[in-house]
Structure formats: C-alpha cells, structure tokens
Amino acid sequence: MEIVEADVAIVGAGGAGLRAAIALAQTDPTLKIALISKVYPMRSHTCAAEGGAAGVIKKDDSLALHFDDTVGGGDWLSDQDCVEYFVNEAPKELLQLEHWGCPWNREEDGSVAVRPFGGMKKQRTWFAADKSGFHILHTLFQTTLQFPTITRYDEYFALDLLVDEGRCQGLTAMEMKSGMIKQFNAKSVIICGGGAGRMFPFTTNGAIKTGDGMALAYRAGVPLKDMEFVQYHPTGLPNTGSLLTEACRGEGGVMLNKNGRRYLQDYGMGPETPLGKPQLKTMELGPRDRVSQAYWHEVQKGNTVTTPWGECVLLDMRHLGEKYIDERLPLVRELAIAYLGVDIVKDPVPIRPVVHYMMGGISTNTKAATELPGLFAAGECACVSLNGANRLGSNSLTELLVFGKAAALSAIAHAKSVGPANKAALKAQADASQARIRELFLRTDGKESMSGLRKEMMDTMEKNCGLYRTEAGLQEAVNKIVELRQRYNKVVLHDKSNVFNTDLFQVLELGSMLDCASALTVGALARKESRGAHQRLDYVERDDKNYLRHSMAYYQGQDTARIEYLDVVITKSPPGVRDYSGDHK
Ligand SMILES: Cc1cc2nc3c(=O)[nH]c(=O)nc-3n(C[C@H](O)[C@H](O)[C@H](O)COP(=O)(O)OP(=O)(O)OC[C@H]3O[C@@H](n4cnc5c(N)ncnc54)[C@H](O)[C@@H]3O)c2cc1C
C-alpha cells in the first residue's frame, strides 16, 4: 500500500476544509498538507448555499445582539463562550473573504450590503445574490491554489482513522478512479466532512451528505454531540426538496395558508405588517424551528393546500416585482420554474418544510479539538456548540470560516508537539482497513441490498424523527436502526470492479448514515423535553432542570449508542423566553 506522509491531513474540501487548508499553509509554509475529498472541491455542498453569511457590519448592530440572537435562536443549548468567540471573529472572516475576492453585494454607496434573515433581529447577512455559497467556495478554492504546500487528493474516499498511542495519526482513503487504498500518515487530522441530511428521504442536502466524517470520528471513539437536533428548513420545493432560500423571506416574501392568511402571526410571530421590501418585522423572519413547526399545526387545522406532493403552504413574492427578484433572487426564480413550473414573479409557490441541517456532530471544544488528541473537526460535521438546538440561517457559512481556521491553528500546535510515529503500528491498522474493504468484495452469501436497507432507514427517519416526535415513534426508530445495522453486515456488492465503484461507495455511505442514525435516534428518545428543533408531543415543555445539557453519543459497536450528558456553558445569558413577536429593525 502506498504511504503518503503529511503533517496535517484534512478530510473534506468544502468551505470548512478549504478555509482550514489556507490557514495551515499561511501560518506555516513548511507544513505538508493533504486535502482529501470524495468529490472535486467545487462540488461540495457549500457550493449550493444560497442566502448568505452572518457577521456584524452595520452601525445599528452589535456583537452583543448577534450573540443574543444566536443563543436565543438555539434555545439556550449553545455554549456561550463559543458563541462569543464566533460573533467576534465573524466580521473579520467575512472581510478576509472580501480581500480574497468574494463579490459581496453592495449598497448604493459601495459599502457591503446585508439582508435580513430569520431569527436575526438586525440585518447582518452578507450575500452574493442568492449564490453566496458558490461565490464563497470559489473564493476559497482559488485562494488555495496559490499554496504549493497543499496537495489535493480529489475523488479520494476516506475509510478509517489511524489511532495509535491514544492519538489520531492519519487515515486510509481509496482513490475512487482506481480502487487503490492509500495510507496517509499525519500528525494531525482535521475532519470537515459536512452534514448527514441524506438519512432522510426529503432533504435539501446534496447526495454526498451522508455523515461519513461524523462516522469516522464516532467509530474511533469520539462522541457525537446533540445529534437529535435536526433542522427543517421551512421553504423547500415539495417535489424535489430543493431549497428556496430564507432570503426569499428576508427580501420580503410572505407565507400564506390556503385561505390567504399570513398564518405565522397565529404562532407568536406577529403582528401582521404591511408588505414591504425588505421585510423588516418578525413574522416570516421567525427562526426556522418555529416557522417549520407552524406548518405542522396548519396541516392539523386543515389550512394547507393539497398538492400531488403532499400538504403545502404558499410562499408569495409577487409584490417584490420582476426587477428586484431578478437582482436578488435569480436562482430561486430559476429553481421554481425548472422544477415546479411556477414563475415566482407571477404566482405564489407551494412549499413545505424539508430536512436541511444537522445541529449535532463530532463533539469539539471552541478550538475545534475533539476528545481524541490529534483529531480536529469543523463545519457542519462538527458540533462546536454554536448552534444549540436550532441554527439561525446564515450562521453556518460563517461557522465554516471561523472554526475551519481555528481547527487549523489547533492542528498546527498539536503537530508541533508530537514525537515520531510507530510506523509499524500504523501500517497494521491500514492493513486492517484494507481487509475490511476486501471482506466486502468477497462476501457472497448476503441477501440484503444497499438500496433496500437505505429506503427502510429513510422511511423510519421520516416517520419517527420528523418535526414532532413521540416515545413510541422514537422507540420504533431505535429498534429499526438496530435491526438495519445488523442486516447491513449482510449487504452484498453487485459491482466488484475497481474503477469508480459507486456501488461500493454507496454501501460505505449507508454504513455512515446508519451509525449517525443510531446516535440520533437514541439521543432523541432519551431527551424527554421539547427544545428548538427537537419537539416531543409527549413532553411539550423545555426542561432546563434536566436537559439544559448536551447529549453525547458514544459508539458501542453493534449495540445502540451510549448516551452521556455534558453541561452547557452559560456565561452571561441565563435561559429565557424566546420572543419573536417584535420588530426587526
Ligand atoms: C441548499 C443549501 C443551502 C444552504 N444555504 C445556506 C446559507 O445561505 N447560509 C448558511 O449559513 N448556510 C447555508 N446552508 C448550510 C451550509 O451550506 C452547510 O452547512 C455548509 O456549507 C457545510 O460546509 P462543510 O464545509 O461543513 O461541508 P460540505 O461543503 O458539505 O463539504 C463536505 C466535504 O467533505 C467531503 N467528504 C465527505 N465525506 C467524505 C469521505 N468519505 N471521504 C472524503 N471526503 C469526504 C466532501 O467531498 C466535501 O468536500 C445551506 C445548505 C444547503 C444544503
């Protein structure tokens, strides 16, 4: 097996991975950096982000307000030392992107433009039309090109971490075009593998978001934190799940039920305000958990529109006018026409909540370090405890930058502190990783199909782990995932070739998703309260006495995850009432 020697290896070349790579290369030009990604970097999900990235920039705003919005939006499950660090670093990172060439939209006077976003009581979301992620990722990618110390391994699939002497020292990854497995020895490893929304059938997430990065760390003994918190975005196209960005509402779009009523005023997000652009009052700019949950109640009341793709509410942007829509929301217009045949300039578009984002992930501290020395994580795969029980829209893109950089700085400090590796031990582990894959190829007696198991997993997650959950439903989900993880051991490969074996990669991805689903379902069953995105019909109140704590899921092989709890860091904002009834100025 070929061995690659690196100082730092990064798994994932989305926003977090690229930001980390740049920080590594800039901080220490002598480092050898291996950047490993199962897709070409520009195909990472960050590219699909539409609405923008949050950071305080305007005079009427303050770091304290961004802090308050994030902590309240997260239903007090965010670690407040982390939020403080984040809001402080956010504007610096967004300005840095500007200097690297990110084409932010402008105000008339040439200053950076911002737009309102849900749960943010001031305008602070920087944007580039409704293709913000595309421009951010391009900016980062082109910046990495100037550093000869970054070696890219595009279309390499990470398989297993190498852990020896109690620290992470590298990983194995398969070159997808040849099927060759390589051993990457690295003093530090940073996981930036993205989210896991593909556990669910109806999601905005690209096909690559299968939680591989989370599963890598989890299987190596690192806990997954707060996995039960799954974000539904309120405005997905009902047939494909494609996202219509929150910027639709930020720019003034309104949500109507079948009677034409702006129903959010009935759920503590009023009062109704005149149509304007941009929309400055709360209403449609409530936080995502609340807005999505209101949809569920409208369904119960029979106030929704029945479509061939299920019950929907309507997103109306007609009053914004064609010129404004084409300037600010061109992609949204294109998506609605292409996938639903609805021109938002002329008609309201039917929408429904769709799985969008994992608040939970690899447990890290504020410096992006995990419990396992030498292993760091950043981006959506990580849970640094910024987002708590509900992420505010536009905080994620900034999170990639702030904590991608933090992970890099921590990884450098660790790399400089460690002694030589026991190469024989690492090689033995790499051989074991290769043997695991070979066993899959040799398996002939199994009856299970990858697609069959995947469908059963998705159906279970949708039925039992959606917007509202119950004890019985969650127990059913836990049992089902236990069963599916056992049956997974009998999956057979239909394609035994070495060249771009997509059958193999989908089997591996299914394994990652089942591990994530195990942590998610067990965590959700154990959390007997309603907080943020985790709503239980049988425990309807938030319970700070018992559950103002992070859940920490530990891998137990074939057994269900073991859940422990960790206190939330509260520095200055004691748990309070989330109020979205007032003005957004
Ligand atoms: C449609 C959409 C719109 C969004 N809009 C916004 C927005 O406007 N504002 C906002 O703040 N957030 C938004 N989000 C959320 C945000 O975009 C994501 O949370 C964020 O981009 C994730 O970035 P990342 O770097 O963590 O992961 P990704 O960009 O998903 O990258 C993951 C990387 O990991 C690699 N990888 C994964 N598994 C493996 C493996 N086994 N081996 C090797 N490599 C692997 C992939 O190749 C990829 O390079 C949006 C999300 C979606 C889906």
Side-chain angles (χ1 to χ4, degrees), residues 54-56 66 85-95 398 402:
V56 170
H66 193 186
Y85 177 74
F86 167 77
V87 298
N88 205 22
E89 294 300 306
K92 298 181 209 164
E93 281 297 314
L94 297 177
L95 275 174
T398 316
V402 170

Side-chain angles (χ1 to χ4, degrees), residues 8 10 14-27 85 88-94 96-97 100 140 190-192 366-369 376-379 397-413:
V8 183
I10 306 172
L18 293 177
R19 182 65 187 92
I22 296 168
L24 289 168
Q26 272 188 331
T27 310
Y85 177 74
N88 205 22
E89 294 300 306
K92 298 181 209 164
E93 281 297 314
L94 297 177
Q96 175 63 74
L97 272 193
W100 285 333
L140 291 170
I190 307 176
I191 302 187
C192 300
T366 307
K367 294 186 182 326
F376 307 85
L397 289 175
T398 316
E399 177 183 357
L400 309 179
L401 305 168
V402 170
F403 294 102
K405 180 177 173 189
L409 299 182
S410 299
I412 293 176

Side-chain angles (χ1 to χ4, degrees), residues 41-184:
M42 282 307 299
R43 297 186 70 88
S44 303
H45 190 76
T46 301
C47 195
E50 299 172 18
V56 170
I57 184 80
K58 295 293 179 194
K59 286 210 172 62
D60 69 340
D61 198 2
S62 71
L63 300 180
L65 289 172
H66 193 186
F67 173 93
D68 286 343
D69 286 348
T70 302
V71 170
D75 222 349
W76 277 272
L77 197 70
S78 311
D79 282 349
Q80 295 179 12
D81 54 346
C82 167
V83 180
E84 195 153 355
Y85 177 74
F86 167 77
V87 298
N88 205 22
E89 294 300 306
K92 298 181 209 164
E93 281 297 314
L94 297 177
L95 275 174
Q96 175 63 74
L97 272 193
E98 156 102 353
H99 295 158
W100 285 333
C102 188
W104 300 119
N105 266 52
R106 300 280 160 187
E107 309 283 14
E108 290 285 308
D109 67 1
S111 63
V112 168
V114 284
R115 62 171 33 138
F117 240 63
M120 302 265 189
K121 297 197 177 96
K122 294 283 177 186
Q123 297 194 40
R124 62 172 76 97
T125 299
W126 304 41
F127 62 99
D130 55 0
K131 298 172 186 166
S132 308
F134 172 88
H135 289 297
I136 290 174
L137 200 61
H138 255 290
T139 303
L140 291 170
F141 180 61
Q142 71 195 13
T143 303
T144 61
L145 298 179
Q146 66 186 274
F147 298 107
T149 50
I150 301 174
T151 306
R152 288 214 325 270
Y153 295 87
D154 294 341
E155 300 188 329
Y156 275 66
F157 195 104
L159 299 171
D160 293 297
L161 296 179
L162 306 178
V163 181
D164 186 45
E165 295 170 344
R167 62 187 168 95
C168 183
Q169 304 196 41
L171 68 146
T172 51
M174 179 184 278
E175 185 185 39
M176 295 166 79
K177 73 173 179 208
S178 67
M180 296 289 284
I181 296 178
K182 286 189 185 157
Q183 175 184 342
F184 292 81

Side-chain angles (χ1 to χ4, degrees), residues 205-223:
N205 284 194
I208 63 169
K209 297 191 74 170
T210 52
D212 303 352
M214 296 181 189
L216 274 178
Y218 186 46
R219 288 179 205 138
V222 177

